[in-house]
Amino acid sequence: MDHYSLVKDCLKGKPSAQKQLYELFASPMLNVCYRYTKSMADAEDVLQEGFVKVFRHLHQFKFEGELGGWIRRIMVTTAINYLKKNARYQTDLLFPDDHLHVVNNEQHPEIKMQARELANLIRQLPPGYQTIFNLYAVEGFNHVEIGKMLGIRESTSRSQYARARALLIQWIEQKNNDNKISAYAK
Amino acid sequence: MQNNFEKQVSSKMEELDLVPSAPVWEKIELQIRRKKDRRRIFFWIPLALVLTGAITWLSINNISSTSNAEQVRMNEEETKTQMNASQGKSSNNQDGHTVIDVPGDLNAEKHVAEKKSDVKQFKEASMEGSIKKEKSSQGSQGKLGSASSVKTRIETNGIVENNQRKKEVVSINDDASIPKNRRQVQGKNDQVSSVRVEVTIEDSSGSIADSVARDSIVLADVPGINNVVGEKAILLAKAKKSKWEFGITAGAGISGEGKGIRLGTNENLDFQNVGSFPTVNSNTNGSVTNNQVHFNLGVLIKKQLNSRFEFISGIGYHYYSSKRKVGNYISQDTITPGGALVSGYYQNYGVQTKEVTNSYHMLSIPVLLSWKVSQKLPVHLQFGFAYQRLIASDVYQFDKQTVIYFKDHGSLNQNQLMANLNVGYTFKMNRTSLFVGPSLQFGLTTVNPRENKSLYALGVQAQLFFNK
């Protein structure tokens, strides 16, 4: 069934179509939610909340873009709102300026690790860094858009991203070195 | 711009393949169904209100009918007693009607007719004499309560002019001759030996309306029966069934949205971030909304419940609006906090602020009770509820977390329960009645859940009812 028919059937309230839509996008959307949160339980909470919004607002989808893209944006927004609402993420979302690092945007280390490993590294970033890194590096938003989404200045978003990137590169390089050492030991 | 590192990260993230656990879908499904159930509840609320109104009306009516039946029985007894005492013969005929024979020199023109439809017939029959129209008296109305309908049969020399279901028959026999000018009407009959006046009370629900008795006709000078039969006819005539009246309504005034009714002007108290950048945890509540125009149009139906209460319902269109200030406009496709995709939004700050109009278009089903405050003055107090369905909107909602103003029809509460209060004076005209007075509406449910705001409206309401 194509997306058009699927959406129409969902709008008619057919349970089978609703489940089909969920099964089609559940896995890729969980990947999105997983990157923004600190635990699988939180990721599933965001996924659940996001899909409820999807079904509630499906009538607003005008087929002007990809259905997957539309659902993904809802998931991202839901994840950001979840982080803002959830006390566990609150303090770090204030984007403190006390972790200053020397930033070198020219560093491009090769990422040799598995997707899950990289995702877990991203999730180890402080929530503020994690969110901005995901929005910029993975979702492809620019800093003006991120600033508006998070209610912060563009310059804040830019500097926070640079710090997040530097921290992640540091961890990736460390991981690469560890892998080299363990391979050498073997 | 993304460089090599970002591309690598993005590409790796696409490889991520996680599968949600089974309970996730179950929870989603549960929430979707619950939402539908809530919608159903909102659908049933107005029906429940209508049913409640109907049951109340039936209860009131049953009480009135009972007292009315007793009143009629007492009148009947009284009639019999008086007639027997004045040497008349009284008997019950086969179909259970009470027949009273009144001796004396009664002319045909001295008999009773009633009922709008029969009046013409009766007049055409050249029933000259002292037929007079009599307005209903408050006392008799009060006694009868709310009997349902009265029909009269007039039988002259066996010619039945109107045949209806009956509970009670008053028959007047007379040997007097019919004047010549009546022969033409009576046709073959040269003489009228008896005139029967049958008064029928239909034992169904109904009540006495003010207008009911205006066509009551009674002979004032029928010797011996004026005080009994004639009076009784008036009483019974007043027990005519109250019918639905149709009308139109229109109103205009001011409306607004808020946690309460705000009558003052906008002082922009909450709009404090103009010209500065808010922080992510800004506690601003968005700009204050100003009152704007409200108007409504609709059709109504009305039914008299008893001498003081009327039931009113109908369907109408309501327009509510308000104004608020917003900041810079950002033209950019954005997913709203509610999950809707919008082409742009306003910020809560900016060098130049702009006023935007929020408008709500509602379909309304009111369920009102109208109470006649005074017996002497036609002043009515109307109170009740209205179920309203949001059919269209052009509303900028404020989101605290993202600190933006955006339009999202879907995230507004589509179903509203409004409380209504109207006070007004009723002008009675020939075949219409006009109710005019101030009105107040306020939302019992929030229309904008994001800002916890309800609608309200103040204005003047007019209702024009057409009496049949």
Side-chain angles (χ1 to χ4, degrees), chain B residues 198-254:
Chain B
E198 296 183 3
V199 183
T200 303
I201 304 164
E202 285 188 2
D203 192 18
S204 60
S205 57
S207 63
I208 301 169
D210 283 347
S211 60
V212 167
R214 66 168 174 240
D215 289 324
S216 301
I217 297 170
V218 63
L219 282 175
D221 55 352
V222 178
I225 66 164
N226 182 39
N227 294 334
V228 184
V229 181
E231 194 174 302
K232 192 164 162 185
I234 300 166
L235 289 173
L236 298 175
K238 286 168 188 168
K240 207 162 80 172
K241 182 182 181 181
S242 164
K243 289 180 180 171
W244 286 103
E245 286 178 36
F246 292 87
I248 52 173
T249 180
I254 56 162

XYZ file of all heavy atoms in Angstrom, chain B residues 198-254:
408
model
N -69.890 20.304 22.585
C -69.004 19.301 23.159
C -67.627 19.915 23.332
O -67.067 20.499 22.402
C -68.896 18.089 22.225
C -70.219 17.384 22.052
C -70.095 16.152 21.188
O -68.949 15.841 20.791
O -71.121 15.523 20.922
N -67.147 19.777 24.494
C -65.807 20.299 24.779
C -64.891 19.117 25.056
O -65.179 18.297 25.907
C -65.828 21.238 25.991
C -64.441 21.827 26.216
C -66.852 22.337 25.766
N -63.870 19.034 24.303
C -62.965 17.890 24.434
C -61.608 18.341 24.942
O -61.059 19.315 24.469
C -62.781 17.224 23.056
O -64.057 16.861 22.584
C -61.882 16.013 23.159
N -61.131 17.628 25.888
C -59.773 17.893 26.372
C -58.922 16.699 26.012
O -59.192 15.586 26.438
C -59.724 18.066 27.893
C -60.681 19.173 28.308
C -58.315 18.352 28.355
C -60.980 19.150 29.768
N -57.934 16.933 25.215
C -57.020 15.836 24.899
C -56.044 15.707 26.042
O -55.404 16.669 26.436
C -56.274 16.111 23.603
C -57.162 15.896 22.406
C -56.386 15.969 21.129
O -55.159 16.144 21.179
O -57.020 15.841 20.084
N -55.961 14.508 26.519
C -55.132 14.295 27.700
C -53.692 14.008 27.298
O -53.178 12.926 27.456
C -55.705 13.133 28.505
C -55.063 13.066 29.865
O -54.461 14.063 30.292
O -55.169 12.019 30.494
N -53.082 14.962 26.719
C -51.665 14.807 26.407
C -50.944 15.994 27.008
O -51.531 16.843 27.637
C -51.451 14.760 24.899
O -51.919 15.954 24.342
N -49.661 15.996 26.791
C -48.884 17.052 27.425
C -49.090 18.381 26.739
O -49.359 18.456 25.559
C -47.402 16.689 27.392
O -47.025 16.479 26.065
N -48.934 19.422 27.454
C -49.095 20.743 26.888
C -49.264 21.749 27.987
O -49.264 21.425 29.157
N -49.412 22.960 27.651
C -49.583 23.965 28.689
C -50.356 25.136 28.138
O -50.603 25.238 26.951
C -48.212 24.423 29.176
O -47.544 25.023 28.119
N -50.734 26.009 29.010
C -51.502 27.165 28.593
C -50.565 28.281 28.209
O -49.740 28.699 28.998
C -52.399 27.649 29.735
C -53.327 26.516 30.144
C -53.201 28.861 29.319
C -54.055 26.815 31.405
N -50.682 28.733 27.025
C -49.893 29.889 26.622
C -50.750 31.115 26.747
O -51.967 31.030 26.786
C -49.446 29.720 25.180
N -50.088 32.238 26.810
C -50.839 33.478 26.907
C -51.766 33.654 25.713
O -52.853 34.183 25.807
C -49.872 34.663 26.965
C -49.258 34.765 28.343
O -49.778 34.095 29.259
O -48.288 35.509 28.485
N -51.291 33.217 24.591
C -52.027 33.436 23.351
C -53.174 32.455 23.170
O -54.001 32.617 22.313
C -51.072 33.314 22.174
O -50.514 32.029 22.195
N -53.203 31.434 23.975
C -54.157 30.358 23.758
C -55.594 30.839 23.825
O -56.418 30.526 22.988
C -53.929 29.231 24.786
C -55.087 28.266 24.769
C -52.645 28.524 24.471
N -55.874 31.609 24.842
C -57.268 31.943 25.103
C -57.774 33.137 24.327
O -58.900 33.548 24.501
C -57.453 32.198 26.580
N -56.938 33.680 23.469
C -57.373 34.918 22.838
C -58.535 34.717 21.864
O -59.239 35.649 21.543
C -56.193 35.582 22.131
C -55.661 34.794 20.976
C -54.709 35.659 20.170
N -54.115 34.824 19.147
C -52.834 34.611 19.037
N -52.009 35.158 19.866
N -52.373 33.850 18.081
N -58.699 33.475 21.389
C -59.804 33.238 20.475
C -60.980 32.540 21.158
O -61.886 32.066 20.504
C -59.327 32.399 19.291
C -58.419 33.223 18.408
O -58.691 34.434 18.271
O -57.463 32.667 17.876
N -60.897 32.452 22.439
C -61.995 31.816 23.159
C -63.254 32.650 23.009
O -63.218 33.865 23.109
C -61.670 31.722 24.651
O -60.515 30.990 24.821
N -64.330 31.993 22.734
C -65.591 32.718 22.566
C -66.602 32.118 23.521
O -66.709 30.912 23.642
C -66.104 32.572 21.131
C -65.085 33.210 20.186
C -67.463 33.216 20.961
C -65.364 32.909 18.759
N -67.298 32.959 24.165
C -68.312 32.439 25.069
C -69.553 33.321 24.983
O -69.468 34.515 24.744
C -67.759 32.390 26.514
C -67.428 33.773 27.018
C -68.737 31.701 27.427
N -70.629 32.671 25.113
C -71.873 33.448 25.156
C -72.014 34.031 26.532
O -71.940 33.325 27.527
C -73.061 32.527 24.882
C -73.282 32.152 23.426
C -74.401 31.150 23.356
C -73.571 33.363 22.580
N -72.234 35.274 26.559
C -72.331 35.923 27.865
C -73.734 35.836 28.417
O -73.945 35.890 29.611
C -71.916 37.373 27.743
N -74.695 35.698 27.528
C -76.066 35.834 28.018
C -76.915 34.599 27.789
O -78.066 34.691 27.477
C -76.704 37.058 27.354
C -76.634 36.975 25.854
O -75.954 36.051 25.344
O -77.263 37.796 25.197
N -76.299 33.458 27.881
C -77.112 32.258 27.841
C -77.639 32.033 29.241
O -76.861 31.776 30.148
C -76.294 31.033 27.395
C -77.160 29.789 27.407
C -75.710 31.279 26.027
N -78.944 32.156 29.407
C -79.474 32.037 30.774
C -79.178 30.660 31.329
O -79.390 29.653 30.684
C -80.974 32.231 30.586
C -81.115 32.895 29.261
C -79.985 32.444 28.442
N -78.706 30.656 32.488
C -78.517 29.394 33.179
C -77.229 28.677 32.877
O -76.780 27.842 33.634
N -76.659 28.967 31.752
C -75.447 28.211 31.436
C -74.216 29.093 31.386
O -73.102 28.607 31.329
C -75.556 27.438 30.108
C -75.650 28.417 28.949
C -76.682 26.450 30.143
C -75.361 27.745 27.625
N -74.456 30.365 31.384
C -73.292 31.250 31.231
C -72.241 30.990 32.300
O -71.074 30.863 32.015
C -73.747 32.705 31.282
C -72.571 33.643 31.074
O -71.724 33.354 30.264
N -72.562 34.716 31.802
N -72.728 30.873 33.503
C -71.787 30.728 34.609
C -71.186 29.337 34.699
O -70.226 29.120 35.387
C -72.462 31.064 35.937
C -72.833 32.527 35.980
O -72.198 33.339 35.307
N -73.868 32.831 36.735
N -71.842 28.436 34.034
C -71.371 27.059 34.168
C -70.669 26.598 32.895
O -69.474 26.394 32.856
C -72.558 26.130 34.495
C -72.050 24.729 34.726
C -73.309 26.657 35.691
N -71.454 26.471 31.873
C -70.899 25.959 30.622
C -69.927 26.950 30.009
O -68.832 26.603 29.577
C -72.023 25.620 29.631
C -71.444 25.065 28.353
C -72.983 24.656 30.260
N -70.375 28.222 29.991
C -69.542 29.229 29.347
C -68.208 29.376 30.027
O -67.156 29.329 29.402
N -68.293 29.463 31.325
C -67.039 29.615 32.077
C -66.143 28.409 31.887
O -64.938 28.514 31.748
C -67.388 29.783 33.553
C -66.228 30.279 34.393
C -66.685 30.564 35.802
O -67.605 31.380 35.970
O -66.150 29.923 36.699
N -66.823 27.293 31.854
C -66.072 26.060 31.705
C -65.387 26.009 30.349
O -64.241 25.591 30.204
C -67.045 24.899 31.829
C -66.378 23.581 31.980
C -67.425 22.655 32.482
C -67.105 21.234 32.305
N -68.246 20.435 32.723
N -66.121 26.492 29.354
C -65.542 26.504 28.008
C -64.296 27.371 27.960
O -63.313 27.030 27.319
C -66.572 27.010 27.010
N -64.375 28.470 28.677
C -63.196 29.353 28.703
C -62.025 28.639 29.345
O -60.922 28.613 28.830
C -63.477 30.629 29.524
C -64.627 31.400 28.914
C -62.233 31.505 29.582
C -65.159 32.461 29.863
N -62.351 28.029 30.477
C -61.277 27.345 31.202
C -60.646 26.263 30.341
O -59.420 26.123 30.274
C -61.821 26.725 32.491
C -62.197 27.699 33.598
C -62.883 26.954 34.739
C -60.972 28.423 34.102
N -61.509 25.526 29.708
C -60.999 24.420 28.906
C -60.268 24.915 27.665
O -59.293 24.326 27.227
C -62.143 23.485 28.520
C -62.843 22.834 29.721
C -64.044 22.026 29.246
C -61.880 21.970 30.506
N -60.776 26.023 27.156
C -60.125 26.584 25.972
C -58.702 26.995 26.292
O -57.796 26.878 25.480
C -60.907 27.798 25.485
N -58.528 27.429 27.493
C -57.197 27.881 27.885
C -56.221 26.729 28.035
O -55.018 26.915 28.115
C -57.292 28.658 29.187
C -57.882 30.023 28.980
C -58.216 30.635 30.298
C -58.978 31.917 30.087
N -59.554 32.379 31.339
N -56.801 25.566 28.146
C -55.943 24.405 28.321
C -55.408 23.885 27.002
O -54.954 22.767 26.895
C -56.728 23.315 29.032
N -55.546 24.716 25.997
C -55.086 24.292 24.669
C -53.588 24.034 24.678
O -52.832 24.684 25.378
C -55.411 25.389 23.661
C -55.604 24.835 22.273
C -56.319 25.818 21.415
C -55.410 26.882 20.890
N -56.059 27.732 19.911
N -53.207 23.106 23.888
C -51.805 22.676 23.865
C -50.876 23.781 23.378
O -51.153 24.452 22.411
C -51.693 21.476 22.938
C -50.308 20.896 22.869
C -50.308 19.747 21.895
C -48.932 19.138 21.834
N -48.909 18.041 20.879
N -49.754 23.911 24.091
C -48.728 24.844 23.659
C -47.908 24.198 22.552
O -47.503 23.059 22.658
C -47.832 25.172 24.848
O -46.649 25.763 24.408
N -47.657 24.962 21.485
C -46.937 24.389 20.347
C -45.557 24.999 20.254
O -45.263 26.008 20.856
C -47.732 24.645 19.073
C -48.989 23.813 19.006
C -49.751 24.097 17.746
C -51.012 23.235 17.717
N -51.896 23.608 16.636
N -44.710 24.358 19.467
C -43.366 24.877 19.221
C -43.472 26.177 18.442
O -44.247 26.273 17.508
C -42.549 23.882 18.406
C -42.107 22.693 19.184
C -42.643 21.450 19.146
C -41.016 22.630 20.109
N -41.968 20.610 20.000
C -40.961 21.315 20.605
C -40.097 23.561 20.579
C -40.023 20.897 21.526
C -39.159 23.146 21.501
C -39.127 21.822 21.971
N -42.715 27.132 18.861
C -42.634 28.381 18.106
C -41.263 28.454 17.464
O -40.265 28.084 18.075
C -42.813 29.573 19.035
C -44.241 29.760 19.495
C -44.350 30.931 20.467
O -43.643 31.925 20.283
O -45.144 30.812 21.405
N -41.218 28.933 16.262
C -39.946 29.061 15.557
C -39.498 30.513 15.569
O -40.326 31.421 15.580
C -40.087 28.557 14.118
C -40.312 27.077 14.061
C -41.586 26.549 14.152
C -39.237 26.206 13.959
C -41.795 25.174 14.128
C -39.438 24.843 13.937
C -40.716 24.322 14.018
N -38.212 30.692 15.566
C -37.722 32.065 15.584
C -36.317 32.181 15.046
O -35.673 31.180 14.712
N -35.885 33.408 14.942
C -34.513 33.672 14.521
C -33.836 34.491 15.607
O -34.502 35.179 16.378
C -34.455 34.413 13.161
C -35.339 35.660 13.202
C -34.868 33.517 12.027
C -35.206 36.539 11.983
N -32.536 34.375 15.653
C -31.809 35.114 16.677
C -30.566 35.760 16.082
O -29.989 35.242 15.123
C -31.422 34.188 17.855
O -30.721 34.956 18.839
C -30.516 33.055 17.418
N -30.193 36.860 16.653
C -28.974 37.548 16.230
C -28.433 38.311 17.426
O -29.187 38.734 18.302
C -29.270 38.497 15.077
N -27.149 38.429 17.453
C -26.541 39.146 18.559
C -25.202 39.718 18.155
O -24.597 39.286 17.175
N -24.751 40.697 18.908
C -23.454 41.299 18.614
C -22.886 41.864 19.899
O -23.621 42.164 20.841
C -23.602 42.392 17.567
N -21.576 41.987 19.924
C -20.928 42.524 21.108
C -19.433 42.367 21.024
O -18.860 42.397 19.937
N -18.833 42.183 22.178
C -17.387 41.989 22.209
C -17.081 40.576 22.691
O -17.883 39.974 23.401
C -16.687 43.013 23.131
C -17.278 42.954 24.548
C -16.762 44.414 22.558
C -16.403 43.589 25.591
